[in-house]
Amino acid sequence: MRVRTLTPGELAEIERLRAAARATLAQIRAGWVPGEAALAEAPFLDEWDEHTHPQDGKPCLTGNCYGHPSLGDRWICTSPLLHRGEGWALTSNRLYILGKPRPDRVIAGRRGRGRSLLDGLPSVPPTGGPGIPGADDDLPEP
């Protein structure tokens, strides 16, 4: 089976991804690189989610952290994220071992996939309003 030819837009996206990978690798080479001691002391970040850092707008992680050397066991917002791999993340000053990502939660008042807007609402007939017979009886005469 022969693969299709990539479009110019797809080729441009690949080059953009390559440039982003080069920038990340340059940051890792220029900055702090984790050693064996950092791996042994890396805090565990569970129920994590990627967000924008409040101070500089770069990507960061938030979640429940266990074993942080200065913050202990609590919810944290990490420093800016440099690189994330399978099961680990490297920020500007620390390596984290990643647990499971934060599960998607349905915000109250929103319906889930495949549910009607009327699911869960009480079945009450309307008592008034435009277009409902008898609703205009309470209105004053003009």
Side-chain angles (χ1 to χ4, degrees):
M1 182 171 159
R2 187 172 178 179
V3 297
R4 67 179 176 79
T5 304
L6 297 175
T7 66
E10 291 169 328
L11 291 171
E13 179 64 13
I14 291 170
E15 285 307 312
R16 186 192 68 77
L17 292 171
R18 281 191 179 131
R22 284 186 194 103
T24 300
L25 292 173
Q27 288 177 343
I28 290 173
R29 282 189 216 114
W32 177 79
V33 178
E36 189 58 41
L39 285 169
E41 297 174 0
F44 178 66
L45 193 63
D46 198 26
E47 294 190 14
W48 56 271
D49 201 3
E50 189 168 328
H51 288 281
T52 302
H53 198 274
Q55 293 176 341
D56 58 13
K58 294 181 180 177
C60 68
L61 298 176
T62 60
N64 298 322
C65 186
Y66 301 92
H68 195 284
S70 59
L71 301 174
D73 299 342
R74 58 178 248 178
W75 184 90
I76 66 165
C77 175
T78 68
S79 55
L81 188 62
L82 295 179
H83 190 71
R84 188 175 77 210
E86 176 126 9
W88 60 276
L90 179 62
T91 66
S92 59
N93 61 358
R94 188 166 314 282
L95 177 71
Y96 290 91
I97 303 300
L98 299 178
K100 59 184 183 279
R102 182 175 164 240
D104 291 334
R105 295 193 173 114
V106 176
I107 299 172
R110 294 198 177 174
R111 64 187 179 96
R113 176 190 249 175
R115 293 183 59 197
S116 166
L117 289 172
L118 304 177
D119 284 353
L121 294 177
S123 177
V124 178
T127 57
I132 299 175
D136 297 332
D137 296 343
D138 298 337
L139 296 176
E141 292 295 322

